[in-house]
Amino acid sequence: MWRAWVIWGVAVAGYVLAVTNRTSLAAVGVDAAHRFDADASTLSMFAVLQLAVYGAMQLPIGILLDRLGTRPIIASGMALMAVGQLVMALSPNVGIAIGARMLIGAGDAAVFPSVLRIVATWFPAQRGSVMVQMTGIVGLTGQLLALAPLAALVHATTWTIAFGSIAGLCVLFAVLLALVVRNHPPNVSSDVSVNTDTGAVRIVTSTADTRVGVRATWSNPGTRLAFWSHFTTPFSGTAFIMLWGIPFLTAGEGLSPAEAAGVTTVYVVVGMALGPVMGMLSGRLPTHRSRMLVLPTVVLQLVAWLVVIAWPGPAPIWLLIAVAVAMGTGGPASMIAFDHARTHNPSHRLSTASGITNTGGFIAGLIAIFLIGAALDLQGAGTPETYTLAAFRFAFLTQVPLWLVGAFFIVLERKRTRVQMGLDAPRRRASRAR
């Protein structure tokens, strides 16, 4: 068992580095705008295209994991991120820099599914859910490394040295992962998951169940409920931590870089702390998850942001911390969506249902990042020299339609799901007048 923990530990350390790569523009967005002379819409494309590639690579990564196993895929993903960060360090213009972020997104896409496969093949099946939660919580520390430490390195040295250092660290981890990780325990001949309590053995697969198809899975209201839950809860925090949080806090609200890093750290820590709590409550409230956990999270984020936007003048630090706490609840709440997917789909559709669910958060995150950047440009505040608090407030208002649309569909699909489960009576259509 010690070997399993060593392999998992190295793989999770690689996942922490992957998250650092993913959010490495979080604290240096203003520096990136200066370096590449990029307006807000162009700057948003760094994150938008990176996330788009990450999402698009999920199915190919699943196929490759099934064919080749974890070891070559996770090492290759880390190597690809090393190339991306090296190109980012040396890129002479914005086009090449955006291409570098796309390489980082492609490499990042390989890491988390690989770690999940390690959990499935090296640990007893009944420990799976706990190990996945631990993996997610530990991985969030990568966001902390992408905040103050990276910004301090950029400002103490140069852009090239800072991002070149991350590239070197990725090369080191690519070698380490190739040396340490093994596809499955030596006593089994294939990637299987074993329940040590019952003796049940299951082949581990990472690809979507194409036999059933996306259409059949989407026809289940529980899948649609999962999609909209994942769409609505995490996008604000994604846009904040990946690109727009530090510029808003420093250039808009007037905080120092250290204070801004502190506020964003609160967002990360709250997400880490609430993950197990949300998981426990979701398990205890299987028929009330949306009403008691997901929707209150949406309302909390919406209200917190509206208060910050409406505040006369710069918001006090306690209010900015409050909005960080509100956004921090979104990540743990978004994981409830996967509970919906597991609960309302048969086992042979779980890969497809989970894939559909996961796309919800990516789509909303892409839209939010782009809309904020576009709104800044439309106000003539698309560069660090022209950022203003009023412009940022209007830009962050573009999140409101996403929350409202998402909440509407959560309520709608929750009702349909409960009807399918027999918990609610179907709505009666109004009788026609004779």
Side-chain angles (χ1 to χ4, degrees):
M1 180 56 70
W2 66 268
R3 188 177 184 183
W5 284 104
V6 169
I7 291 174
W8 177 81
V10 172
V12 168
Y15 177 51
V16 171
L17 181 56
V19 174
T20 302
N21 279 277
R22 183 189 309 167
T23 54
S24 54
L25 285 183
V28 294
V30 174
D31 300 85
H34 282 300
R35 179 178 176 85
F36 301 112
D37 193 24
D39 60 20
S41 294
T42 303
L43 193 61
S44 69
M45 296 308 293
F46 280 88
V48 167
L49 291 177
Q50 177 188 336
L51 288 178
V53 171
Y54 182 102
M57 286 295 295
Q58 292 302 303
L59 180 57
I61 290 297
I63 294 172
L64 290 172
L65 280 170
D66 287 341
R67 291 182 179 178
L68 303 177
T70 300
R71 182 185 179 189
I73 301 305
I74 192 171
S76 298
M78 194 61 64
L80 194 58
M81 282 189 287
V83 174
Q85 291 290 25
L86 182 60
V87 174
M88 191 72 183
L90 302 174
S91 55
N93 57 60
V94 68
I96 294 176
I98 289 176
R101 298 305 297 182
M102 294 172 70
L103 286 175
I104 293 169
D108 184 17
V111 178
F112 187 60
S114 297
V115 181
L116 295 187
R117 196 177 183 94
I118 288 172
V119 170
T121 55
W122 280 90
F123 291 88
Q126 59 269 35
R127 292 190 186 177
S129 59
V130 175
M131 294 298 297
V132 169
Q133 278 193 8
M134 288 176 59
T135 299
I137 292 171
V138 174
L140 285 176
T141 58
Q143 294 181 343
L144 299 179
L145 297 177
L147 294 172
L150 180 57
L153 184 60
V154 169
H155 298 148
T157 58
T158 65
W159 178 280
T160 300
I161 291 175
F163 282 88
S165 299
I166 299 178
L169 192 58
C170 289
V171 171
L172 175 64
F173 262 87
V175 174
L176 183 62
L177 289 165
L179 292 175
V180 174
V181 172
R182 293 295 181 269
N183 289 350
H184 47 73
N187 59 324
V188 296
S189 58
S190 60
D191 290 3
V192 296
S193 177
V194 180
N195 188 314
T196 55
D197 289 340
T198 65
V201 178
R202 179 179 62 85
I203 300 293
V204 176
T205 59
S206 300
T207 55
D209 187 353
T210 54
R211 293 172 301 170
V212 176
V214 173
R215 180 178 298 180
T217 308
W218 180 255
S219 66
N220 188 327
T223 302
R224 299 194 298 272
L225 175 61
F227 173 88
W228 287 109
S229 297
H230 202 264
F231 178 98
T232 314
T233 47
F235 72 81
S236 184
T238 299
F240 194 85
I241 198 65
M242 287 202 67
L243 191 59
W244 293 119
I246 296 295
F248 165 69
L249 293 172
T250 54
E253 293 288 352
L255 299 188
S256 68
E259 291 171 329
V263 172
T264 50
T265 298
V266 170
Y267 160 77
V268 177
V269 172
V270 168
M272 295 172 65
L274 285 184
V277 177
M278 284 283 191
M280 178 190 66
L281 292 175
S282 179
R284 293 185 177 183
L285 303 167
T287 59
H288 300 285
R289 293 164 176 160
S290 298
R291 182 170 60 85
M292 298 185 68
L293 298 175
V294 175
L295 287 173
T297 298
V298 174
V299 173
L300 178 64
Q301 293 181 70
L302 173 61
V303 171
W305 265 113
L306 289 178
V307 172
V308 169
I309 291 170
W311 195 269
I317 188 69
W318 63 264
L319 182 55
L320 297 174
I321 291 175
V323 81
V325 171
M327 288 188 296
T329 65
S334 72
M335 300 307 292
I336 296 172
F338 294 99
D339 292 334
H340 287 310
R342 285 191 297 268
T343 301
H344 301 295
N345 283 278
S347 59
H348 62 277
R349 293 188 189 177
L350 287 184
S351 293
T352 304
S354 296
I356 291 173
T357 300
N358 205 26
T359 60
F362 282 109
I363 291 172
L366 296 177
I367 295 172
I369 291 170
F370 177 76
L371 288 179
I372 292 169
L376 288 171
D377 278 342
L378 288 174
Q379 300 173 86
T383 60
E385 292 78 13
T386 57
Y387 288 160
T388 65
L389 180 56
F392 270 115
R393 285 174 168 172
F394 179 79
F396 279 106
L397 271 177
T398 59
Q399 299 177 108
V400 174
L402 296 177
W403 279 311
L404 296 180
V405 169
F408 170 80
F409 280 105
I410 289 172
V411 173
L412 178 66
E413 299 300 344
R414 176 181 185 271
K415 177 65 177 180
R416 290 173 174 173
T417 301
R418 290 180 64 84
V419 169
Q420 185 185 62
M421 296 173 66
L423 297 176
D424 288 346
R427 294 179 179 177
R428 295 180 180 181
R429 296 182 178 179
S431 59
R432 296 181 179 178
R434 294 183 180 178

